[in-house]
Amino acid sequence: MIDSAKIELRNLRAKDYEELKVSMIKSYNSMPNEYWSKGEIKTLINKFPEGQLCIVIDNKIAGCALSIIVDYDKFDDNHTYDSIIGGENFSTHTKNGNVLYGIDVFIHPEYRGMRLGRRLYEARKELCEHLNLKAIVFGGRIPNYSKYAEELTPKKYIEKVKLQEIHDPVLSFQLSNDFHVKKVIKGYLSGDHESKEYATLMEWNNIYYTKPQKLVNTTKTVVRLGLVQWQMRLFKDYEALVSQIEFFVDAVSNYQSDFILFPELFNAPLMAEFNHLSEPEAIRELSGYTDRLLETFREFAINYNINIITGSMPQAIGEHMYNVGFLCRRDGSYERYEKLHITPAEETAWGMKGGNKLETFDTDCGKIGVLICYDVEFPEVGRILAEEGMNILFVPFMTDTQNGYSRVKICAQARAVENECYVAIAGSVGNLPKVDNMDIQYAQSAVLTPSDFAFPVNGIKAEATPNTESTLLVDVDLDLLKELHNFGSVRNKKDRRKDLYSLKKKK
């Protein structure tokens, strides 16, 4: 479990060396003396600072990826490690090269299992695209080959790893991250007895070769949204609910989504065991799971490298009950949001109170806002968030009938038009016969847009099949919003008559 840990992906600095050395020694326990010297690291940083990436957790170097740029046309595929890196001065590095060559990747043993290696590889890919290089290439060790060398050739060994009949901690990971084996090299790394000095020449091709992309840690312009249309069902226990959550997070993250959105009160099935209690007592018991779910979502956000909007769940604060949710960023940080407007049913059945927190949140994809269900039916709230720079509004909702759903969707579409933003809505479907006040659900999750030439004519970018458990994956282009603000057929944000009226958030 994580407490206050924050994940930071950044470029390596010379002053990181002592912490880096500790991490290298721990990572290479089978080769305790094989670590980079301070001078070598300093040379790498001076020559190619963008290519030296690290992940920092609580001021500790948890992982690192080092690379250089080479003119690969000058090398044969049968090169050795020493020849292609150019010695301790990295003389083969050239800014005019055409390939990003990986010279090292490692993860501190304490932080393995958090998918940090995948994050470093993704950062390398972004760097390759940004620098308009043809490919990423490196020689990959096959440390488990020594166990099979007497019975398998390197080629047969690689085939069995590809078929998942054999697991190799290095090759299996590289294959799962979209690298392919270009060839097998003999005598690549001197002294690598575990691999019998064989290596796989791995390659990832940059399909955007003619279109430079942005560096790591810059705001994206095309953002991928993943929406969960959640099936309300009875779960055996809390662990079964978490397993279903992880299924969706895993599935959506495999499509490199930047966000995943869950519905309002998606954890209501856990109230089944409290159905013998009154409705206010049952919802208070359900709130006992909220802190555990927050920690679970934070772990999933880090492990699956995705920003999670957790929908909502009840939270008891003193005598009062609130409907709240969390933005769990993929760097480990999180924010809390509250439902501001409580429906009559929530107030009478559960004794819910409206929250007082209204703000936008910064993410690695720009500013976002979150309004829970009924809140989106109040235009003032969305307008305030838009004034604070929100580009994407997320609306987790829960509606029992088609009437209720129509209110949410129609109002969400209005928010998209009047605030010139994208609005993503996600709800639950199905039935909960053993949970009072949660019997039936109706939803059709969707991503809604402004209505102008650059957007769909009906203002709907995509929508799920109604009343069926599913996911929706949608790309939204933030640059289209900038164009709309300045050159749209109508400009709702610019054309407001501030000389006649104004809207202000109370402190």
Side-chain angles (χ1 to χ4, degrees):
M1 303 291 281
I2 52 175
D3 297 316
S4 58
K6 182 172 180 179
I7 310 296
E8 182 184 11
L9 170 62
R10 61 168 171 80
N11 294 116
L12 191 65
R13 304 163 187 159
K15 64 182 181 180
D16 293 323
Y17 181 73
E18 291 306 320
E19 186 61 44
L20 179 70
K21 180 179 176 181
V22 171
S23 187
M24 285 188 288
I25 293 172
K26 292 280 188 183
S27 300
Y28 295 124
N29 53 11
S30 62
M31 298 181 290
N33 297 316
E34 297 296 322
Y35 58 85
W36 298 99
S37 70
K38 189 172 184 177
E40 288 170 329
I41 293 297
K42 185 177 179 181
T43 300
L44 273 175
I45 292 172
N46 288 339
K47 285 198 166 192
F48 185 31
E50 307 97 317
Q52 319 319 319
L53 301 163
C54 67
I55 291 178
V56 181
I57 301 179
D58 289 339
N59 299 317
K60 293 182 180 179
I61 302 292
C64 187
L66 310 176
S67 59
I68 58 176
I69 300 173
V70 298
D71 183 355
Y72 199 72
D73 296 334
K74 295 180 179 179
F75 293 89
D76 188 290
D77 280 345
N78 286 315
H79 60 265
T80 65
Y81 182 77
D82 289 336
S83 67
I84 200 160
I85 71 168
E88 62 184 16
N89 293 320
F90 306 100
S91 60
T92 53
H93 171 74
T94 171
K95 63 180 181 180
N96 298 318
N98 55 7
V99 161
L100 185 70
Y101 198 92
I103 62 175
D104 203 357
V105 173
F106 61 85
I107 302 296
H108 190 297
E110 184 180 337
Y111 300 103
R112 287 173 187 168
M114 296 174 66
R115 299 189 177 214
L116 302 183
R118 175 177 174 178
R119 194 174 298 206
L120 287 168
Y121 273 35
E122 290 300 319
R124 263 189 183 167
K125 292 172 187 175
E126 289 184 26
L127 180 63
C128 181
E129 292 172 357
H130 169 77
L131 296 175
N132 195 29
L133 300 173
K134 282 185 179 180
I136 300 172
V137 176
F138 55 82
R141 299 177 64 238
I142 42 175
N144 275 0
Y145 178 62
S146 57
K147 300 176 183 177
Y148 299 89
E150 292 184 6
E151 55 186 291
L152 297 174
T153 64
K155 181 181 177 182
K156 287 292 184 183
Y157 176 82
I158 292 167
E159 288 175 357
K160 286 186 173 292
V161 173
K162 285 181 178 179
L163 294 171
Q164 299 183 3
E165 296 176 8
I166 293 175
H167 176 76
D168 186 283
V170 176
L171 179 56
S172 297
F173 173 74
Q174 291 162 351
L175 292 171
S176 71
N177 281 273
D178 302 325
F179 285 81
H180 66 270
V181 180
K182 194 175 182 183
K183 74 180 309 297
V184 177
I185 308 175
K186 171 64 176 170
Y188 179 72
L189 182 62
S190 178
D192 184 6
H193 304 300
E194 290 181 322
S195 306
K196 295 290 184 181
E197 295 192 358
Y198 284 101
T200 52
L201 186 63
M202 306 299 294
E203 185 178 64
W204 176 83
N205 293 306
N206 175 17
I207 62 171
Y208 300 107
Y209 182 45
T210 58
K211 296 179 181 179
Q213 301 295 300
K214 291 185 179 293
L215 273 169
V216 210
N217 295 332
T218 58
T219 302
K220 302 181 71 169
T221 57
V222 176
V223 179
R224 182 160 295 172
L225 312 180
L227 280 57
V228 177
Q229 188 155 288
W230 177 271
Q231 173 79 41
M232 286 293 195
R233 56 166 73 82
L234 296 178
F235 290 97
K236 182 179 67 172
D237 50 27
Y238 173 80
E239 285 69 28
L241 177 87
V242 168
S243 178
Q244 187 67 11
I245 294 170
E246 185 169 18
F247 163 77
F248 281 115
V249 174
D250 186 11
V252 171
S253 73
N254 280 338
Y255 289 92
Q256 286 78 51
S257 291
D258 297 292
F259 291 94
I260 182 170
L261 172 64
F262 285 86
E264 178 184 22
L265 295 177
F266 72 93
N267 64 332
L270 296 178
M271 274 200 291
E273 64 177 301
F274 310 121
N275 215 32
H276 61 287
L277 302 175
S278 67
E279 290 175 358
E281 290 173 325
I283 200 81
R284 184 165 284 269
E285 291 293 332
L286 181 63
S287 72
Y289 290 105
T290 296
D291 288 344
R292 289 172 66 186
L293 279 171
L294 170 59
E295 290 306 305
T296 296
F297 275 118
R298 290 184 67 197
E299 287 184 358
F300 288 166
I302 293 169
N303 292 349
Y304 290 94
N305 192 24
I306 190 169
N307 299 302
I308 302 177
I309 293 115
T310 68
S312 80
M313 52 200 84
Q315 185 177 59
I317 301 178
E319 296 180 357
H320 299 306
M321 183 66 57
Y322 298 90
N323 192 347
V324 308
F326 304 92
L327 161 64
C328 297
R329 300 186 185 90
R330 47 188 160 199
D331 68 0
S333 62
Y334 74 97
E335 306 278 358
R336 178 178 174 276
Y337 51 85
E338 303 172 332
K339 188 170 186 177
L340 308 176
H341 304 86
I342 301 302
T343 64
E346 288 175 288
E347 188 174 7
T348 55
W350 295 327
M352 287 279 190
K353 300 289 182 184
N356 299 296
K357 186 178 181 182
L358 175 64
E359 61 183 327
T360 55
F361 303 115
D362 290 316
T363 73
D364 53 9
C365 300
K367 283 188 182 290
I368 68 161
V370 185
L371 295 177
I372 303 174
C373 197
Y374 192 30
D375 287 338
V376 81
E377 298 178 31
F378 296 83
E380 303 92 336
V381 225
R383 174 55 55 78
I384 287 170
L385 296 178
E387 287 294 301
E388 293 182 358
M390 170 194 70
N391 287 318
I392 306 173
L393 175 61
F394 292 94
V395 182
F397 70 90
M398 179 190 70
T399 49
D400 53 354
T401 65
Q402 198 163 352
N403 311 59
Y405 166 72
S406 295
R407 287 195 299 269
V408 170
K409 181 187 175 184
I410 292 167
C411 291
Q413 283 196 284
R415 303 298 84 84
V417 170
E418 68 201 15
N419 296 312
E420 298 176 350
C421 66
Y422 296 104
V423 183
I425 64 174
S428 298
V429 300
N431 309 304
L432 274 179
K434 294 187 178 181
V435 178
D436 292 339
N437 205 41
M438 296 286 293
D439 311 82
I440 57 174
Q441 314 287 322
Y442 181 92
Q444 185 175 19
S445 303
V447 174
L448 310 168
T449 74
S451 184
D452 213 315
F453 292 114
F455 304 94
V457 293
N458 61 355
I460 301 173
K461 178 75 173 176
E463 56 189 345
T465 302
N467 263 17
T468 301
E469 183 170 62
S470 59
T471 56
L472 195 61
L473 295 160
V474 184
D475 285 348
V476 295
D477 190 338
L478 302 185
D479 280 345
L480 293 180
L481 297 180
K482 293 178 185 176
E483 187 177 338
L484 177 68
H485 298 337
N486 295 299
F487 307 109
S489 301
V490 294
R491 290 164 289 186
N492 297 72
K493 289 183 73 175
K494 281 191 170 184
D495 292 342
R496 286 189 300 125
R497 290 287 305 276
K498 292 185 179 180
D499 58 321
L500 292 177
Y501 53 84
S502 63
L503 183 63
K504 221 188 280 187
K505 180 169 71 171
K506 291 186 176 181
K507 301 296 183 187

